[in-house]
Amino acid sequence: MDKLLIRGGRSLQGEVLVSGAKNAALPELCAALLTAEPVTLLNVPQLQDVSTMLKLIRNMGVVAERADDGTVRIDASGLNTPEAPYELVKTMRASVLALGPLLARFGEATVSLPGGCAIGSRPVDQHIKGLAAMGAEIVVEHGYIIAKLPAGWKRLKGARITTDMVTVTGTENFLMAAALAEGETVLENAAQEPEISDLAEMLIAMGAKIEGHGTSRIRIQGVEKLHGCTHRVVADRIEAGTFLCAVAATGGDVVLRHGRADHLDAVIEKLREAGADVQAVEGGIRVKSPGGATLKAQGFRTTEYPGFPTDMQAQFMALNCIAQGTATVTETIFENRFMHVNELVRLGAKIQVDGKVAVIEGVPRLSGATVMATDLRASASLVIAGLVADGETVLDRIYHLDRGYDCMEAKLRGIGADIERVKA
Ligand code: EPZ
């Protein structure tokens, strides 16, 4: 397995390009299944999860070509196997996003239950509840979700859907299913993430009738058919937030080209309170910092958007490890999203975890060591810690990082970090 070799202590200067958002590109690749006409996605990030999703839709009979410039051309006219098999789904839970589109366009879908992952059990019961409310007959057996329309039905029927909790991919499945359903669908406690709005904009470009995206109530008027479109994937706010935390921790002055400050209010607010200077600039975000050791540690609670994102919890914790004072971090979304803590402690951090709460006491310095990535954002947290630790940090199992970050080490090297990938 590849490793990352990081020598800490450098400040970061210059400009880095923020890629397209993983969590927008994945549902948008599935949205292309809703039409037999060609769909072109621009600014698709080069990630392992995107490669997996391309494999999944090609497995259905879809033609999908990815160019080096991030353009992906999809032709789902030949889709003949509305299935998402276990061997692909087990490596990427987001495969469940095929469920809504396949049901909406073909009236049937067989999608493997995703199973849990490192950060939690990740059930999809709410996806099933919402699609059943639209008329789908769904059974779960032998590890598969088997969904179909009732006999004689041509389309799903619009419904009013209120899920037990806010679910991002659940909202996305409902948006895609409702776009082709008969009548109106109202999502009462929809997720409000920017990736939801980006997906809605793509569906509208395909002819869908959607309003309220970006708020907790979304209304969709189903249409008979959707046509092709060209859509540019929105910039990745979590990649941008990760780089903001990295520069805040190491110190420096960096512009994140294409970064959207308006998608990162909660994180930027905390970075400013810590003492970093973060400003929206023409075409991006500029962050300046004297270095983590001079910043003030910030407590926070993760909540649904527009609150502090759970996907930024591990990265900000790395900053708190060396900032001044003690901070309390509460993870309210996932039940097991503190696996980076033990590895940060190996680097000299002082962290106590009790259930959903972690208390971080800032220390003057971290010391490099060999650490292990356990999940995507934990990996990013350990990269940030390695960038500030004294000496050399070796990060193992970085396939976790490759799932969600497009050439992170090359981007960091481009702004002055001493980091290299050691091929297995
Ligand atoms: C999406 O996951 C993201 N993934 C996650 O990003 C992100 O952490 C998460 O939203 C929360 O923001 C993609 O968009 C591909 P949820 P998702 O459904 O949709 C529970 C990353 O690092 N729940 O919003 O799977 C669930 O267990 C990844 O990029 C049910 O109980 O998350 C969790 O506690 C990690 N039943 C909470 O709701 C359901 O049917 C929120 O989950 C659905 C969810």
Side-chain angles (χ1 to χ4, degrees), residues 4-8 347 367-370 386 389-395 420:
L4 283 183
L5 210 51
I6 308 166
R7 292 178 194 85
L347 296 171
S367 61
T370 298
D390 294 343
E392 191 172 87
T393 294
V394 178
L395 178 56
E420 61 186 294

Side-chain angles (χ1 to χ4, degrees), residues 84-93 95-96 99 110-116 121-125 127-128 138-146:
Y86 176 65
E87 56 275 8
L88 285 173
V89 174
K90 72 181 177 187
T91 63
M92 187 188 60
R93 309 179 21 69
S95 313
V96 73
L99 189 57
T110 303
V111 175
S112 164
L113 273 173
S121 59
R122 311 292 295 276
V124 290
D125 55 305
H127 297 237
I128 292 169
I138 303 178
V139 294
V140 178
E141 56 186 22
H142 308 303
Y144 276 83
I145 303 164
I146 302 161

Side-chain angles (χ1 to χ4, degrees), residues 367-388:
S367 61
T370 298
V371 286
M372 187 174 70
T374 51
D375 60 87
L376 169 56
R377 306 303 174 182
S379 322
S381 170
L382 293 169
V383 169
I384 294 171
L387 290 172
V388 298

Side-chain angles (χ1 to χ4, degrees), residues 22-24 26-27 49 92-94 96-97 117 119-129 163-172 191 193 195 237-238 303-305 309-311 332-335 337 375-377 404:
K22 166 176 87 81
N23 291 349
L26 294 176
D49 272 7
M92 187 188 60
R93 309 179 21 69
V96 73
L97 285 164
C117 75
I119 63 177
S121 59
R122 311 292 295 276
V124 290
D125 55 305
Q126 301 298 307
H127 297 237
I128 292 169
K129 172 182 164 183
T163 45
D164 298 357
M165 79 293 291
V166 174
T167 159
V168 171
T169 48
T171 300
E172 291 164 345
E193 274 70 2
E195 293 78 30
R237 63 190 166 98
I238 304 300
T303 56
E304 297 85 5
Y305 194 89
T310 174
D311 290 352
T332 72
I333 305 291
F334 290 113
E335 65 266 30
R337 204 168 197 178
D375 60 87
L376 169 56
R377 306 303 174 182

Side-chain angles (χ1 to χ4, degrees), residues 28-40 61-63 74-79 101-102 104-106 176 179-180 202-203 205-208 223-230:
E28 289 166 5
L29 286 166
C30 292
L33 306 180
L34 288 165
T35 179
E37 295 182 17
V39 166
T40 299
V62 173
V63 174
I74 301 139
D75 175 352
S77 57
L79 198 159
L102 290 177
R105 179 148 167 243
F106 295 93
M176 294 188 279
L180 285 176
M202 174 186 171
L203 291 168
M206 294 169 73
V223 295
E224 296 258 326
K225 253 169 82 76
L226 292 171
H227 49 74
C229 75
T230 294

Side-chain angles (χ1 to χ4, degrees), residues 2-56:
D2 290 6
K3 298 176 194 284
L4 283 183
L5 210 51
I6 308 166
R7 292 178 194 85
R10 299 266 191 95
S11 67
L12 302 176
Q13 317 282 343
E15 179 171 300
V16 69
L17 219 54
V18 177
S19 301
K22 166 176 87 81
N23 291 349
L26 294 176
E28 289 166 5
L29 286 166
C30 292
L33 306 180
L34 288 165
T35 179
E37 295 182 17
V39 166
T40 299
L41 286 178
L42 307 172
N43 195 35
V44 178
Q46 302 280 354
L47 303 173
Q48 186 53 46
D49 272 7
V50 168
S51 303
T52 304
M53 188 63 88
L54 288 171
K55 211 183 292 178
L56 188 76

